Amino acid sequence: MTVSPSTRTRLDTVVRSFRMIQKMNRGRPEVKPSENLYYQFLTGYFTRILNAGIDHKPLVLHTIFMPAEILYAMDIVPMHAETTSWMVPAFTGSVGEMLAKASELGLAPEICSAHRVLTGALACGDLPRPDAVTWSNLCCDNSAKSSELLLELTDAPGYFVDIPFSDSPAEIAYGVKELRGLIEFLERTTGRQMDWQKLSDIIARLNHQIDLYQQIYELRKAVPSPFPMHRFAEFMMSSYLMPGHPEVITYLETLRAELSEMVRLGQGAVQPEKFRLMSLFIPPVYLMGLLGEVSRQTGAVSVVEPLFGQWGDLKLDPERPLESLVKKSLAFPECASYGPLNERILAETERCARQFKVDGAVLYAHVGCRQGAALIKTYRDMLSRIDVPLFVLDMDLLDQTITSADEIKTKLLQFVEILEDR
């Protein structure tokens, strides 16, 4: 079975939704300029996917944590597999059809819904046919295995990249060799050549992007914290979709300026701020608005997400771009949950709990994520030692039949009640 070579329907709807949001936001004075820039870079990203064939550019489907920097440097249009598939049901309400199609293809409910929805979206013809598929072992076994089915669905050539677990010199060298193999595959498959100067320039901008993330996280330490919890997805999308891209740099610089001014004026994301939360893993993609509602109702705000955007003192070398990309993959905290448990992830979480003065932590336990679920007891034991209560919220990233919006809201409100009683 292969997907239709050219389908625009539902992905077109996603892009139109982004444009409509931008248009509506122009009439809402409370909307920050950074929010409009966020939807602007999303619109550009998915428009390029839709127009890849028209623009005579290769389209490459890649899974999470594959280095999109390489694709940008080769003038190839990247299509982030998981994020693109998330956007279609989020803005078209078609998740049930996609999950049903994935079930028809034999994917069990225990498999991560992000990958079931991706499979269903391709099988339904809701995503354009890629010219190639690339994937790796990061950051979960679902990512490592799902693309074998994607090759069958798309009838496209594919390449698997094996990223090492740690940063010893031998493993870094091995990772560089893997990326060179990826580049050779892409050159052979797409006819595009690597522009090494362009890649170095992207790495240089990526250094600035990482620095901006760190500055923004420092601003979020303020009491009250200035960044609303429902905008968490913006950090994730900017990192996943457009690393080292000028539009993302502009968005982050604008956001930094806005938060700096709020901190200067003593303004918080919610008024008054009552509870400071730490979020672990990814909340339900379809419930970002609900999280904002709960935050405003309770005065609880997520001030830090240790698994996202916390890069530490990572500095990349534009003169050694492939080595830098391997180091970046190993430095991303979310990837530390793959393979042997890296103590760094626990140390980073404890550091964030202390420095951001959190009152409690919420672990979004996505039922299809074996990596995340395996860490529940480890997180609970570590946080209990520093007297930070952990609330485990069983949910699904995309499948609303697992836990409804009302259930999630009720459970979050119950956790806030527990914090009030402490």
Side-chain angles (χ1 to χ4, degrees):
M1 178 182 184
T2 60
V3 300
S4 169
S6 178
T7 302
R8 300 176 65 92
T9 51
R10 284 179 175 152
L11 197 55
D12 239 347
T13 301
V14 172
V15 173
R16 288 197 300 270
S17 297
F18 292 152
R19 289 175 177 155
M20 181 62 69
I21 290 171
Q22 288 179 275
K23 184 177 180 180
M24 292 172 60
N25 282 348
R26 285 196 288 269
R28 299 169 58 199
E30 72 275 14
V31 174
K32 302 287 187 182
S34 62
E35 292 183 73
N36 283 324
L37 288 171
Y38 168 65
Y39 283 105
Q40 180 177 303
F41 80 66
L42 283 183
T43 301
Y45 180 87
F46 290 104
T47 299
R48 286 190 288 273
I49 292 174
L50 285 173
N51 293 341
I54 298 172
D55 296 336
H56 305 290
K57 291 188 176 183
L59 177 66
V60 171
L61 178 69
H62 68 94
T63 58
I64 190 170
F65 299 122
M66 282 294 291
E69 296 90 340
I70 287 176
L71 302 178
Y72 284 118
M74 298 179 70
D75 200 25
I76 294 171
V77 177
M79 180 163 62
H80 191 288
E82 293 87 351
T83 300
T84 303
S85 65
W86 297 347
M87 290 295 180
V88 174
F91 288 90
T92 67
S94 56
V95 68
E97 181 182 347
M98 295 175 184
L99 290 172
K101 179 61 71 171
S103 180
E104 287 178 20
L105 293 170
L107 299 189
E110 291 78 14
I111 294 174
C112 174
S113 61
H115 296 273
R116 287 188 287 134
V117 166
L118 169 62
T119 301
L122 283 167
C124 291
D126 289 322
L127 299 179
R129 181 189 184 280
D131 296 292
V133 177
T134 65
W135 74 105
S136 77
N137 51 338
L138 294 180
C139 64
C140 67
D141 51 0
N142 282 289
S143 292
K145 294 297 294 181
S146 65
S147 291
E148 295 177 16
L149 178 56
L150 300 185
L151 296 181
E152 181 179 335
L153 288 171
T154 61
D155 197 28
Y159 194 89
F160 174 79
V161 176
D162 183 27
I163 300 296
F165 290 134
S166 60
D167 59 356
S168 70
E171 286 168 294
I172 293 293
Y174 176 79
V176 168
K177 182 180 178 181
E178 287 287 293
L179 293 185
R180 289 194 181 277
L182 170 64
I183 292 169
E184 291 173 3
F185 163 79
L186 292 170
E187 289 180 335
R188 184 173 64 253
T189 303
T190 68
R192 299 298 173 107
Q193 298 298 303
M194 170 57 72
D195 184 333
W196 292 100
Q197 183 57 55
K198 189 174 181 180
L199 182 59
S200 293
D201 293 342
I202 291 172
I203 297 298
R205 289 195 299 270
L206 188 56
N207 266 329
H208 183 38
Q209 183 174 332
I210 291 171
D211 188 49
L212 287 168
Y213 285 134
Q214 294 303 104
Q215 292 178 45
I216 289 168
Y217 268 103
E218 286 298 314
L219 289 167
R220 293 177 67 187
K221 289 180 180 178
V223 180
S225 185
F227 192 65
M229 62 191 296
H230 69 277
R231 293 183 64 186
F232 154 78
E234 297 179 23
F235 280 127
M236 187 169 63
M237 297 301 178
S238 62
S239 175
Y240 286 177
L241 303 184
M242 300 170 67
H245 199 284
E247 286 186 61
V248 166
I249 299 294
T250 301
Y251 155 74
L252 291 172
E253 289 176 337
T254 303
L255 177 60
R256 177 188 59 183
E258 292 168 356
L259 299 184
S260 294
E261 180 63 9
M262 290 180 69
V263 170
R264 187 184 71 81
L265 296 174
Q267 296 176 348
V270 294
Q271 299 287 353
E273 177 184 282
K274 295 181 179 179
F275 303 104
R276 297 168 65 85
L277 303 179
M278 176 167 62
S279 296
L280 301 171
F281 295 98
I282 303 175
V285 173
Y286 58 93
L287 288 181
M288 293 301 177
L290 180 140
L291 294 180
E293 177 188 333
V294 170
S295 179
R296 291 186 295 271
Q297 180 178 339
T298 63
V301 61
S302 179
V303 296
V304 64
E305 302 83 26
L307 296 175
F308 301 93
Q310 295 283 81
W311 296 91
D313 58 357
L314 177 66
K315 294 297 181 185
L316 306 178
D317 184 355
E319 300 302 314
R320 303 173 69 88
L322 297 186
E323 180 177 302
S324 293
L325 290 177
V326 176
K327 289 182 176 180
K328 176 200 168 192
S329 295
L330 297 174
F332 201 91
E334 188 180 358
C335 293
S337 63
Y338 184 75
L341 177 62
N342 190 327
E343 288 295 326
R344 177 174 62 90
I345 194 173
L346 298 177
E348 178 66 17
T349 303
E350 180 175 346
R351 183 189 69 82
C352 286
R354 294 181 185 279
Q355 293 189 358
F356 285 80
K357 302 176 182 177
V358 304
D359 301 298
V362 178
L363 192 156
Y364 294 96
H366 172 40
V367 295
C369 181
R370 285 175 285 278
Q371 277 72 25
L375 288 174
I376 291 174
K377 184 179 186 303
T378 304
Y379 271 125
R380 191 185 299 280
D381 291 346
M382 183 273 291
L383 290 171
S384 67
R385 290 197 298 270
I386 57 175
D387 196 30
V388 173
L390 174 67
F391 176 59
V392 178
L393 181 59
D394 293 322
M395 40 67 70
D396 190 275
L397 195 63
L398 297 169
D399 188 351
Q400 302 179 38
T401 66
I402 301 298
T403 310
S404 70
D406 287 342
E407 288 179 273
I408 290 175
K409 181 177 180 180
T410 298
K411 290 177 179 179
L412 287 172
L413 292 176
Q414 289 172 346
F415 181 54
V416 171
E417 289 179 3
I418 292 172
L419 296 180
E420 289 175 337
D421 292 339
R422 283 172 62 85

